[in-house]
């Protein structure tokens, strides 16, 4: 009856919450036959009822620490509602059983063995605890007799923690008068004779005699004992603690052994699991986070970003992780406010539906920036803290170069920030440092290989590359791959011919073709062009080289586009560092460095978890340049976030620079590789930038704005909206609805803001909304969030701008004409040569990543608005084969910024007492 009732309840749960199933975990240590039998009974019952049961079996060599670690993981798993540890623990190692049972989370302790549940039962808190399954089954059997417990005299024989003691408490709080007897009770027969209800759990065969029992008593026999019986094939039979044959003559009801209390114990385990699942559903809607939001105390005027950041105490990051459904073993803490998330979370959630995918981009900006990051954070705070949606922000990690140079931080601003901002903007978890180390290892390998090939014979090179160890040579795995690439299908190092040995040991790198540069995460203009190899030990083999800033490294782009460890390793291996003198590509795999790079990057590949001022979760991961790379945060962060938010949630990510650069690359490169399809584009615009596009004077950091920007001027604003119109058109080319976010500044007038909203809608935006999130946090972006919700429900017909199979020149032309407004392109001689070379080398079908100025739709930063009819000059074309794109260079640009006259670091210091960072941002 119990099982049928539970089966119906589970069916109703599934109907009400599709995809939901009560979950039971059974943890076993060792391999006892009796434990295996009991567990199989439980698994069978769970399957019959519809409970998802998981049997975790640890070997008998498991230590206490290993058992506790497993328990911690199950405690944190939201799919596990009931959790039992099968006793006894069959381990060769000393394990404290009480410590183990108490480690089970009380809300999942369906065996009721933890001290917390036992304490609640002893206090009578029956509605707020789990009762051990055997006493619970006994009570159910007593209820089935129809005998009223209240007022009756009950006797419990046995005082174990599993049956006797909780049975006493259960009867007591059901208003019986209870006596507990045990092996030391001298008047046991007399006490038993008084019982209207008798529960025996002494563990001694037929200890209670039939003649002791009060006529008409209800007798519950919990004993399982084996006694000799020559008539049985096994030579023994099972009996209870009560002499059944004589007791049944006096009792009104009595449980048989076997077949009485045992099956009820299993049924009660199932019932407790279903009850736990029901409690979970009452507290947590499946797919709906139970998240604590921070209340902002807004001040006017808005204080500095660092003051705002410190005005809010961040939640412990492990709390954030738990709130969004991550398991404890999926989270690696880096202090109290940041953590890395294991890629195992994505594997666990792979069958979950994705949420809505939103990309934030902008119009062509001023050098001051128009607040894309601030809008991204404001939007997620509005969706989460104010509209109570599951929502994740996925943003790039900033480089320390600009942080200490001219830009300052990149955590958003005002009351829409990622916190703590000093953690966000400085080392974070060391990902950029890992990229620096990996990149420079490749650079060192390139020059070292050239040096060794120039100074050694084929045989000397071979002896060092494949050394004899104890008289035996052996190729490494990466060397086998190189042999296969060369068409040499041999694995015996002694079998190579002289010709094969020559092509194997000599990469024959042409120094003039080296594209791999050293990197540093510091703005240092004097490293833009250097000479290396000047030490006498390099024997005159010097060459001209340069340093780039770390975020310009192809390894950063690889990190951002990889969808797992294996994919990252593959991409690292195919990174092209130069060409040989025969015109063939030389890769990191050829250098033999792929495995070492993967090791250096093994932690960097895990997304970093932080939070906003209002307590919504943020992934901070990867930070590729938005010109020579694609300027978007990582695919992995987006994929994990989309699974965590669930089908009704939102993931908001940001694309660098304007829509013509970051958004175009987001669609044509990132979405092409990730397979993800966006639902909404949020296009950030400001009155200030639109006035600049309408003919307003130039603006720059640290200089007061001209009056054209501080006084109402609808004429130049309307003219400048040509840029807004073009960027809306660009977004719609990809078939995605566009919501314009007008980021309001205090100098903007109501008429100016209304005009931008009007013209945006006329240009084809799904909606256009004024936003005040910088000053008001999520509250100031609620209208934007509601517009995004509506747009996410609108029809979307996402499509790429071009087919990658098109010739390289045609793909470049399509971007120039369709996105920038050019009439045509012009490939300069060096660019023509590179296109021919890369096509010959097999890279012609890669996507295109245009490297041009972000300050204009054209190649000329002075051309504002929406210029047309220009010829776009392509100076050069380079390849990021590992990341997976070709990047044409439009005009000149530096990949190593310099420091200004007065860098940001003038104001930065450390409080020697508190250790706080002062003067940052």
């Amino acid at each position: 009856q119990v099982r049928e009732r539970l089966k119906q309840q589970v069916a109703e749960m599934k109907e009400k919450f599709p995809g939901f199933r009560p979950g039971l975990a059974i943890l076993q240590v060792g391999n006892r036959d009796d434990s295996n039998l009991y567990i199989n009974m439980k698994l069978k019952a769970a399957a019959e009822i519809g409970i998802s049961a998981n049997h975790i079996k640890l070997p008998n060599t498991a230590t206490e620490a290993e058992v506790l670690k497993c328990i911690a993981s199950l405690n944190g798993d939201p799919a596990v509602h009931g959790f039992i540890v099968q006793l006894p623990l069959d381990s060769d190692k000393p394990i404290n059983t009480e410590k183990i049972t108490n480690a089970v989370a009380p809300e999942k302790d369906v065996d009721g063995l933890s001290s917390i549940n036992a304490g609640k039962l002893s206090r009578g808190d029956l509605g707020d605890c789990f009762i051990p399954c055997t006493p619970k089954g006994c009570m159910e059997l007593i209820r089935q007799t129809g005998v009223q417990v209240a007022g009756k005299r009950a006797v419990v024989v046995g005082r174990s923690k599993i049956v006797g003691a909780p049975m006493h408490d259960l009867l007591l709080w059901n208003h019986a008068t209870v006596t507990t007897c045990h092996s030391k009770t001298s008047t046991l027969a007399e006490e038993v004779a008084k019982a209207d209800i008798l529960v025996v759990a002494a563990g001694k065969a037929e200890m209670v005699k039939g003649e002791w029992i009060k006529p008409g008593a209800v007798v519950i026999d919990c004993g399982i004992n084996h006694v000799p019986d020559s008539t049985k094939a096994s030579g023994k039979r099972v009996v209870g603690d009560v002499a059944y044959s004589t007791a049944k003559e006096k009792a009104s009801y009595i449980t048989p052994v076997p077949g009485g209390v045992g099956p009820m114990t299993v049924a009660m385990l199932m019932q407790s699991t279903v009850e736990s699942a029901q409690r979970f559903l009452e507290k947590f809607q499946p797919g709906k986070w139970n998240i604590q939001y921070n209340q902002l105390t807004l001040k006017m005027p808005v204080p500095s970003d660092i003051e705002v950041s410190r005005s809010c105490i961040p939640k412990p990051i492990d709390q954030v992780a738990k709130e969004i459904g991550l398991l404890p073993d999926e989270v690696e803490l880096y202090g109290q406010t940041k953590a890395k998330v294991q890629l195992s979370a994505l594997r666990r959630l792979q069958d979950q539906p994705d949420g809505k995918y939103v990309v934030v981009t902008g119009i062509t900006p001023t050098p001051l920036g128009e607040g894309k990051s601030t809008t991204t954070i404001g939007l997620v705070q509005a969706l989460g803290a104010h509209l109570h949606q599951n929502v994740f922000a996925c943003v790039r990690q900033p480089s320390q170069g600009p942080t200490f140079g001219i830009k300052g931080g990149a955590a958003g601003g005002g009351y829409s920030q990622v916190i703590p901002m000093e953690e966000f903007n400085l080392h974070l978890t060391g990902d950029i440092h890992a990229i620096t180390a990996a990149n420079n290892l490749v650079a060192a390998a390139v020059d070292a290989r050239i040096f060794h090939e120039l100074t050694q014979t084929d045989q000397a090179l071979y002896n060092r590359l494949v050394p004899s160890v104890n008289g035996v040579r052996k190729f490494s795995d990466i060397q086998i791959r190189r042999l296969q690439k060369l068409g040499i299908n041999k694995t015996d190092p002694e079998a190579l011919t002289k010709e094969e040995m020559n092509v194997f040991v000599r990469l024959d790198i042409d120094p003039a073709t080296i594209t791999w540069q050293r990197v540093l995460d510091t703005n240092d203009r004097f490293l833009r062009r250097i000479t290396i190899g000047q030490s006498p030990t390099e024997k005159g083999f010097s060459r001209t080289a340069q340093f780039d800033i770390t975020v310009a490294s192809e390894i950063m782009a690889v990190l951002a586009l990889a969808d797992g460890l294996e994919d990252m390793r593959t991409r690292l291996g195919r990174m092209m560092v130069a060409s040989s003198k025969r015109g063939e590509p030389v890769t990191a795999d050829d250098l033999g460095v792929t495995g070492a790079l993967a090791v250096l990057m093994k932690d960097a590949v895990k997304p970093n978890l932080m939070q906003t001022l209002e307590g919504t979760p943020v992934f901070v991961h990867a930070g590729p340049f938005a010109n020579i790379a694609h300027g978007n945060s990582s695919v992995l962060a987006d994929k994990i976030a989309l699974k965590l938010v669930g089908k009704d949630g939102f993931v908001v990510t940001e694309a660098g620079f304007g829509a013509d650069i970051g958004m175009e690359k987001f669609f044509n490169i990132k979405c092409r590789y990730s397979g993800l399809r966006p639902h909404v584009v949020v296009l950030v615009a400001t009155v200030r930038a639109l006035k600049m596009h309408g003919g307003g004077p130039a603006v720059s950091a640290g200089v007061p704005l001209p009056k054209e920007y501080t006084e109402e001027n609808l004429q130049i604003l309307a003219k400048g909206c040509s840029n807004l119109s073009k960027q809306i058109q660009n977004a719609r080319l990809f078939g995605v609805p566009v919501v314009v976010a007008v980021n309001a500044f205090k100098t903007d007038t109501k008429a100016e803001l209304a005009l931008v909203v009007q013209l945006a809608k006329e240009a084809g935006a799904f909606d256009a909304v004024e936003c005040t999130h910088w000053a008001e946090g999520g509250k100031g972006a609620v209208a934007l969030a509601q517009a995004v919700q509506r747009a996410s429900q609108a029809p979307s017909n996402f499509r790429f701008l071009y087919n990658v199979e098109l010739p390289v020149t045609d793909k470049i032309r399509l971007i120039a004409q369709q996105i920038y407004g050019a009439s045509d392109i012009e490939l300069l001689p060096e660019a023509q040569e590179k296109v021919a070379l890369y096509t010959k080398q097999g890279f012609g079908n890669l996507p295109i990543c245009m490297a041009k100025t972000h300050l204009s739709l054209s190649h000329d930063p002075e051309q504002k608005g929406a210029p047309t009819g220009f010829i776009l000059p392509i100076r050069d074309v380079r390849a990021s084969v590992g990341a997976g794109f070709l990047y044409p260079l439009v005009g000149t640009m530096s990949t190593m910024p310099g420091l200004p006259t007065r860098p940001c670091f003038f104001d930065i210091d450390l409080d020697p007492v508190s250790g706080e960072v002062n003067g940052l941002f």
Side-chain angles (χ1 to χ4, degrees), residues 340 343 430-439 441-442 550 553-560 562 564-565 568-569 572 575 593-607 621-622 636:
K340 278 198 167 291
L343 303 191
D431 294 351
I432 292 180
H433 301 315
I435 292 166
T436 302
N439 182 99
L441 180 61
V442 177
T550 298
S553 169
E554 184 178 351
I555 295 178
M556 177 64 89
V558 165
L559 175 66
L565 272 172
M568 181 184 72
R569 187 178 177 278
L572 290 169
M575 294 185 305
V593 76
T594 305
L597 299 180
V599 169
L600 285 170
M601 295 293 293
K602 70 180 179 65
D603 291 319
V605 76
K606 305 165 191 172
H621 199 218
L636 278 169

Side-chain angles (χ1 to χ4, degrees), residues 678-701:
H679 294 81
V680 185
V681 171
V682 173
L683 184 67
V684 180
T686 64
V687 168
R688 177 182 67 194
L690 292 171
K691 284 182 174 180
M692 178 194 70
H693 287 294
V699 297
S700 57

Side-chain angles (χ1 to χ4, degrees), residues 789-849:
Q789 283 182 299
R790 293 192 301 272
S792 71
Q793 303 299 325
S796 178
N797 184 29
F798 176 71
R799 54 190 175 269
F800 299 118
L801 183 66
Y802 54 81
N803 186 325
V804 290
E805 301 299 327
L806 289 172
V808 173
T809 304
D810 290 355
K811 289 182 283 193
I812 297 172
R813 182 177 289 110
L814 270 171
I815 295 171
Q817 293 177 336
Q818 296 290 313
I819 301 296
Y820 306 155
S823 59
D824 205 349
I825 61 172
E826 178 188 12
L827 267 67
L828 301 183
E830 188 173 358
Q832 293 177 25
E833 292 173 9
K834 290 290 185 61
V835 168
L837 174 65
Y838 293 143
T839 301
K840 179 184 176 183
Q841 292 177 334
F843 307 136
N845 61 350
L846 292 176
I848 301 300
C849 182

Side-chain angles (χ1 to χ4, degrees), residues 25-85:
I26 303 172
L27 176 59
Q28 179 184 8
V29 178
N31 194 36
R32 283 176 59 118
D33 289 339
D34 54 350
S35 291
N36 291 333
L37 177 64
Y38 298 145
I39 289 170
N40 285 334
M41 290 169 56
K42 294 165 186 175
L43 294 174
K44 183 179 177 181
E48 177 189 325
I49 291 165
I51 293 170
S52 175
N54 182 20
H55 178 200
I56 302 97
K57 199 168 187 176
L58 299 180
N60 60 5
T61 55
T63 64
E64 184 175 273
E66 289 170 336
V67 177
L68 289 170
K69 182 180 179 182
C70 186
I71 290 173
S73 177
L74 292 168
N75 283 342
D77 190 342
V80 173
H81 309 107
F83 170 26
I84 68 167
V85 178

Side-chain angles (χ1 to χ4, degrees), residues 503-524:
V503 294
F504 172 71
V505 300
R506 296 201 177 274
L507 301 180
D508 207 18
I509 294 171
D510 180 355
T513 67
I514 295 173
T515 55
W516 196 268
Q517 309 298 344
R518 289 162 173 81
V519 297
L520 189 69
D521 196 32
T522 301
N523 289 5
D524 191 344

Side-chain angles (χ1 to χ4, degrees), residues 757-781:
V757 168
Q758 174 194 333
L759 294 179
K761 291 179 180 178
E762 291 176 3
F766 177 89
D767 204 350
V769 182
E770 176 189 340
C771 307
T772 55
H773 44 273
W774 181 80
E776 297 184 290
K779 176 185 173 185

